[in-house]
Amino acid sequence: MNIKENIEAIRADFPILKREMSGLPLVYLDSCATALKPQCVIDEVVRYYTYLGANAQRGDYEMAAQVDYALDAARKTSAEFINAKKTEEIVFTSGTTEGLNLLALMITNQFLKQGDAILTCETEHASSVLPWQQAGLAKDIPVNFIEVDQEGRITPENVEKAFVQYPNTKVVVFAQVSNVLGFNAPIKEIAKIAHDHGAYLVVDGAQAVAHHAIDVQDMDCDFFCFSSHKLCGPSGIGVMYGKFELLDQLRPIFFGGESNARFARSCDSLVLKKTPTKFESGTLPIEGALGMATAMRYLMNIGLNNIHEYEWELKQYFLKRAQEELQDKIKIYNPNAQGGIVTFNVYDKGQLIFPQDMASYLSNKGIAVRSGQHCAKLMGEFLGVPGTVRASIYFYNTIEDIDRLVDAIKDATVEKCLDIFF
Ligand code: PMP
């Protein structure tokens, strides 16, 4: 679909875009935090509650069978969305963070031994660092960090070097797309390096899935986690993908009514259900799974490559105006990251406008952006600033949205930003 030609129709799909913020038409530039929901996703959630209603994978009546059918279809759509080889490679979780935590616990406890090590990088989101640090405590398994290049990119050369420095690395964990700088990591090359050294590759796909066509088979990653809410689906649901032979070897962390096929009084009588159901121990957010699949179909219909190109075009427009009109006012940290994430700070006569103050000022102008450390606390050390402002552009944004942002930045002063609070 040509997004530019259809932008009005696309925007009409998102009822929230009709609302105002601070008395002005809303400019939503925080889609990396969570994406807005089209009417079809909202309708699908409502359809579950108004028409389907029953629990999944339990009932023997027609309405329950309809829920089972819809949930199976959602799993199939999720597999298609990331080009998984088998539907059974899709485990429903509550989101990226839960998937990454489950993997850290299961892999550390079941696949690793004392002396092994984890490799990540200094610009990662907390959920690619903390779960492994905590899971590794009991076995004394350290998390090591590779350096990124000057711009903040993960390079295959640095990953290769890290295997020389930390030869006991058994797991590599990276975000495909950084939520702060937006660079797209060369996952396929990194997977090859990791596998050549006998390590698993776990990918945090939270920021990638909504902006790139994902092919887990081509990338050859071992695990890939993402959240529905970043791709226009409901919150509280996501996917933990794993290669079937690996998922099948792993024993779940949670147990319950849905994960067991049989159990008796003795502990060793437990027979688990097959992969992936053995990981889904209780009632799933069924409406979430159905809504997520609707969101995936919606995005596939627009075309992930079209989405990526459109965002990059709008970002380039922002960069052009910034270069022409905001030279002394703005420092942009990621001009070369192709996509919709613009990370910057604003200055007033050489003085930094504190990013949170800038975000509040923009809010007063009807513009929603994120500010602070963006859950990637080590990134601040890398950038050498206490925080940044992040505008994240998505396919429902317009040139006019970018104009409103540039005009607001142009007009911002330290005084005006502080005036909001007094
Ligand atoms: N990783 C990255 C790169 C993210 O941007 C996010 C969301 N900010 C997460 C992980 C965590 O996602 P969630 O909160 O949906 O679990």
Side-chain angles (χ1 to χ4, degrees):
M1 179 188 291
N2 184 321
I3 297 178
K4 237 193 248 169
E5 281 173 12
N6 292 286
I7 189 68
E8 284 315 316
I10 288 173
R11 284 176 67 81
D13 288 341
F14 291 80
I16 204 165
L17 289 174
K18 293 192 188 80
R19 70 158 277 176
E20 295 188 338
M21 187 171 75
S22 309
L24 292 164
L26 172 67
V27 172
Y28 189 74
L29 290 169
D30 198 20
S31 295
C32 274
T34 202
L36 304 177
K37 319 304 172 201
Q39 189 63 50
C40 59
V41 168
I42 299 165
D43 289 347
E44 181 64 359
V45 171
V46 171
R47 184 178 80 97
Y48 170 74
Y49 285 121
T50 49
Y51 180 69
L52 290 169
N55 207 330
Q57 299 167 338
R58 287 159 172 76
D60 296 309
Y61 47 94
E62 190 192 16
M63 200 164 87
Q66 288 167 346
V67 174
D68 289 349
Y69 180 79
L71 191 66
D72 286 349
R75 210 186 288 276
K76 273 198 196 103
T77 301
S78 305
E80 185 194 335
F81 190 65
I82 58 169
N83 196 29
K85 201 168 171 184
K86 288 169 169 252
T87 307
E88 292 79 8
E89 294 176 324
I90 302 297
V91 179
F92 290 129
T93 61
S94 68
T96 313
T97 304
E98 184 181 291
L100 292 171
N101 272 273
L102 288 174
L103 289 172
L105 284 166
M106 292 190 293
I107 292 175
T108 303
N109 292 337
Q110 298 168 41
F111 288 175
L112 304 189
K113 57 179 189 323
Q114 201 149 8
D116 290 342
I118 312 295
L119 187 68
T120 184
C121 88
E122 54 186 329
T123 51
E124 280 301 320
H125 190 279
S127 48
S128 281
V129 180
L130 301 181
W132 298 93
Q133 285 181 333
Q134 295 304 311
L137 281 175
K139 281 190 176 173
D140 205 11
I141 292 173
V143 175
N144 299 312
F145 296 87
I146 66 156
E147 281 177 21
V148 286
D149 75 2
Q150 271 185 333
E151 282 190 281
R153 293 173 204 259
I154 300 169
T155 64
E157 296 72 34
N158 284 357
V159 177
E160 192 71 79
K161 266 194 231 156
F163 272 99
V164 177
Q165 193 177 357
Y166 309 111
N168 295 338
T169 299
K170 287 291 177 305
V171 179
V172 176
V173 50
F174 290 137
Q176 181 179 348
V177 173
S178 150
N179 64 312
V180 185
L181 295 176
F183 286 113
N184 191 7
I187 295 296
K188 194 173 172 174
E189 283 163 270
I190 294 169
K192 171 140 187 10
I193 298 169
H195 294 153
D196 284 350
H197 290 88
Y200 300 107
L201 176 62
V202 176
V203 177
D204 167 352
Q207 293 297 347
V209 277
H211 312 274
H212 295 272
I214 304 295
D215 186 336
V216 287
Q217 291 186 70
D218 182 58
M219 287 194 290
D220 196 27
C221 54
D222 299 298
F223 300 95
F224 186 92
C225 299
F226 62 92
S227 306
S228 148
H229 70 94
K230 307 266 193 207
L231 57 89
C232 301
S235 42
I237 180 87
V239 166
M240 175 179 84
Y241 157 86
K243 284 181 181 162
F244 185 79
E245 57 280 14
L246 295 175
L247 284 181
D248 214 36
Q249 281 173 56
L250 287 169
R251 191 171 165 79
I253 298 285
F254 299 127
F255 300 90
E258 263 314 278
S259 57
N260 82 86
R262 203 168 60 235
F263 75 102
R265 281 171 199 275
S266 73
C267 192
D268 58 8
S269 63
L270 170 63
V271 177
L272 287 168
K273 281 197 179 153
K274 291 206 167 99
T275 305
T277 322
K278 69 178 181 185
F279 295 108
E280 297 165 355
S281 52
T283 299
L284 289 168
I286 302 162
E287 78 289 12
L290 306 194
M292 173 170 71
T294 302
M296 287 167 172
R297 286 192 295 272
Y298 180 82
L299 293 187
M300 288 192 283
N301 185 40
I302 292 178
L304 272 302
N305 291 334
N306 298 335
I307 289 174
H308 180 67
E309 262 171 42
Y310 180 79
E311 296 165 351
W312 177 220
E313 226 175 272
L314 284 192
K315 176 171 169 176
Q316 284 171 299
Y317 177 73
F318 175 86
L319 294 174
K320 185 168 174 290
R321 274 205 69 188
Q323 195 184 11
E324 287 167 3
E325 300 168 55
L326 302 171
Q327 280 245 342
D328 303 330
K329 287 216 77 163
I330 197 167
K331 169 148 183 58
I332 299 171
Y333 297 96
N334 62 344
N336 297 323
Q338 298 194 358
I341 300 180
V342 195
T343 302
F344 59 92
N345 268 314
V346 178
Y347 292 81
D348 175 20
K349 297 181 210 81
Q351 188 183 344
L352 172 72
I353 300 180
F354 197 62
Q356 272 91 347
D357 295 341
M358 189 64 209
S360 304
Y361 168 80
L362 290 174
S363 165
N364 248 16
K365 304 257 179 192
I367 304 169
V369 294
R370 174 94 186 263
S371 68
Q373 297 173 324
H374 319 292
C375 306
K377 297 222 161 39
L378 303 175
M379 179 70 93
E381 285 174 30
F382 172 76
L383 296 176
V385 281
T388 54
V389 181
R390 180 187 71 189
S392 45
I393 301 162
Y394 209 14
F395 62 95
Y396 39 63
N397 289 120
T398 59
I399 292 269
E400 291 73 36
D401 289 346
I402 306 298
D403 283 337
R404 292 243 326 256
L405 176 66
V406 175
D407 293 345
I409 295 172
K410 218 169 167 179
D411 197 38
T413 61
V414 171
E415 246 175 36
K416 281 185 191 167
C417 290
L418 289 176
D419 265 358
I420 294 162
F421 300 104
F422 302 107

